[in-house]
Amino acid sequence: MKDRLEQIEERYEQIQKELMDPNIVNDIEHMTSLSKEQSSLEETVTLFREYKEIESTIEDLKEMVKEEEDQDVVEMAKEELDELKHKLPKIEEKLHVLLIPKDPNDQKNVIVEIRGAAGGNEANIFAGDLFRMYSKYAETQKWKLEINNAEEGDAGGFTQIEFTVSGDSVYSYLKYESGSHRVQRVPQTESQGRVHTSTATVLVLPEAEDIELELSMSDVRVDTFRSSGAGGQSVNTTDSAVRLTHEPTGLVVSCQDGKSQHENKASALRILKARLYDKMLQEKMDKEGEERRSKIGTGDRSEKIRTYNYPQNRITDHRIGYTIQQLDRVMEGKLDPIIEALYNEEIKRKLSTENK
């Protein structure tokens, strides 16, 4: 472990020197890349330096206990030694976690798609509830949320809504949300008070950067059409909505919520790139089976990941068997307990994989 940490510290110091070179301001892309790398290493390096300092202090205190004649000083040294010996394993444990290979997408913005699935109007209403939940959560994190495309349901909610969430390390928090979300509650239209089960699907994609994915526009067919509201009612008299078809893969993306055709095309391209990037990542993970096994969930839209039970105010994440009686709080955007539980389980699995 120490060898790896020494290498990381060495790399951190090398980056610092490069960033101090006055010529780097002429290469913004390289400077940005180095700054991101430095930021990703900072926590590990700071903790490792603290670890080394404690180790050094422990050695000094041991010498003091051996050689010091003043018994009061010896007792104080022993107390401090005992305290530091208990502190060291905790720091070591944190360093083990920090050395686990990070998901390269954790720092990225995301594109989220929510669809009403089984359950007709109630599924669409639930899709709207999930969108509101993520919107509230984004607010608490001080992230920016921007709707790219929304198709409203006849009774409320959405048959489909796509939006971008931008901010600090968004993907690291929302990556666990992909899959089928199930709701159990009495619909407003139910006269006999029976509980119905409906589902909505969520797909979370890391936003792709141009350096990671080459997209040839000659492979993309661009169609324009008039944007419309719920039930097909026209809300725009110009062909501002854009549909992109990636002909080699058959992927189709539509955007109609921007103010202009140019804005909708730019949003559609971001979504298309994210979907192609996700496809590339899924294929890579299928080849690297170990990484797929250590992940929480497959990211597959059909995988049932969570149940929201309204009569019992209960929410259960089936992937890790985690249940809390705080559904009302979660739907108001208080997602932290669930995300933290999922993160801790993934760390546990990765540590288990590393130790094999």
Side-chain angles (χ1 to χ4, degrees):
M1 183 181 84
K2 268 195 172 179
D3 287 345
R4 284 171 70 188
L5 289 164
E6 295 283 3
Q7 286 168 6
I8 288 168
E9 186 179 29
E10 196 178 307
R11 174 61 185 155
Y12 182 82
E13 288 166 356
Q14 184 188 343
I15 292 168
Q16 278 188 317
K17 283 179 188 170
E18 284 188 56
L19 286 171
M20 288 169 70
D21 184 344
N23 295 318
I24 199 165
V25 293
N26 300 321
D27 189 346
I28 299 297
E29 196 176 308
H30 185 49
M31 186 172 76
T32 304
S33 173
L34 283 175
S35 297
K36 279 184 180 176
E37 188 181 353
Q38 184 190 42
S39 177
S40 71
L41 300 177
E42 195 159 6
E43 187 183 357
T44 307
V45 171
T46 303
L47 199 60
F48 179 47
R49 285 173 177 172
E50 185 186 346
Y51 180 84
K52 287 194 293 184
E53 197 176 313
I54 290 172
E55 271 195 326
S56 175
T57 306
I58 285 172
E59 291 306 313
D60 291 343
L61 288 168
K62 281 179 179 176
E63 287 298 312
M64 193 184 291
V65 168
K66 275 184 192 175
E67 296 173 9
E68 182 59 54
E69 292 179 4
D70 187 325
Q71 283 307 302
D72 289 341
V73 174
V74 170
E75 284 306 311
M76 284 171 63
K78 281 182 176 177
E79 278 180 32
E80 192 180 348
L81 190 59
D82 192 47
E83 193 181 308
L84 291 177
K85 279 182 174 177
H86 279 90
K87 193 175 181 182
L88 207 62
K90 290 175 184 174
I91 294 177
E92 202 169 286
E93 194 177 323
K94 283 184 185 175
L95 285 168
H96 270 296
V97 171
L98 288 170
L99 282 176
I100 294 171
K102 289 182 176 63
D103 188 327
N105 295 310
D106 274 352
Q107 304 299 315
K108 291 185 178 176
N109 300 330
V110 301
I111 289 163
V112 183
E113 178 196 282
I114 305 173
R115 291 175 184 253
N121 285 336
E122 178 61 18
N124 296 338
I125 291 167
F126 179 49
D129 293 338
L130 290 175
F131 171 67
R132 181 176 175 274
M133 177 184 79
Y134 293 128
S135 301
K136 293 262 185 188
Y137 183 61
E139 277 177 37
T140 67
Q141 301 295 318
K142 295 183 169 54
W143 294 335
K144 181 186 172 189
L145 188 147
E146 185 183 354
I147 296 174
N148 302 315
N149 188 52
E151 296 170 20
E152 294 177 11
D154 293 333
F158 301 97
T159 58
Q160 178 178 339
I161 182 166
E162 288 169 311
F163 53 97
T164 303
V165 186
S166 314
D168 187 25
S169 304
V170 181
Y171 186 73
S172 70
Y173 291 87
L174 293 183
K175 63 184 175 183
Y176 306 111
E177 296 304 300
S178 286
S180 177
H181 295 239
R182 181 172 65 175
V183 64
Q184 294 173 330
R185 64 183 174 192
V186 180
Q188 291 177 357
T189 54
E190 171 58 58
S191 57
Q192 295 179 37
R194 289 176 301 188
V195 173
H196 285 227
T197 298
S198 309
T199 59
T201 59
V202 176
L203 183 64
V204 179
L205 305 171
E207 199 167 27
E209 294 172 20
D210 290 337
I211 53 171
E212 296 165 318
L213 180 79
E214 283 185 28
L215 175 63
S216 171
M217 287 308 293
S218 62
D219 290 334
V220 180
R221 190 176 79 240
V222 181
D223 298 306
T224 58
F225 58 99
R226 289 185 185 180
S227 58
S228 60
Q233 181 185 359
S234 177
V235 294
N236 197 326
T237 55
T238 60
D239 291 346
S240 63
V242 172
R243 182 185 300 109
L244 301 182
T245 305
H246 186 247
E247 293 183 326
T249 60
L251 285 173
V252 179
V253 172
S254 299
C255 275
Q256 62 175 12
D257 275 61
K259 293 172 186 170
S260 66
Q261 188 183 113
H262 176 75
E263 202 175 305
N264 282 324
K265 186 178 177 183
S267 291
L269 269 172
R270 283 211 314 272
I271 296 169
L272 180 59
K273 283 179 181 176
R275 288 191 177 175
L276 288 168
Y277 181 58
D278 181 64
K279 190 172 186 295
M280 186 176 84
L281 288 177
Q282 296 290 338
E283 287 168 359
K284 184 171 177 281
M285 275 199 293
D286 285 339
K287 288 176 185 172
E288 300 166 6
E290 204 62 55
E291 186 185 344
R292 171 62 71 102
R293 281 192 289 277
S294 71
K295 281 178 78 73
I296 297 289
T298 61
D300 188 332
R301 195 197 293 270
S302 64
E303 182 191 12
K304 283 192 178 69
I305 65 165
R306 203 174 289 154
T307 294
Y308 303 69
N309 185 297
Y310 276 75
Q312 296 174 25
N313 194 35
R314 186 184 74 229
I315 184 163
T316 300
D317 195 289
H318 304 293
R319 295 164 295 181
I320 59 172
Y322 179 79
T323 297
I324 49 171
Q325 307 288 140
Q326 296 178 18
L327 177 59
D328 51 345
R329 287 172 55 79
V330 170
M331 297 313 288
E332 288 299 316
K334 307 289 194 302
L335 269 165
D336 285 324
I338 296 173
I339 288 172
E340 197 174 308
L342 289 160
Y343 170 79
N344 289 337
E345 177 61 25
E346 184 151 356
I347 290 295
K348 197 168 91 177
R349 290 185 190 183
K350 283 182 174 177
L351 280 170
S352 169
T353 304
E354 288 253 311
N355 294 332
K356 277 181 183 175

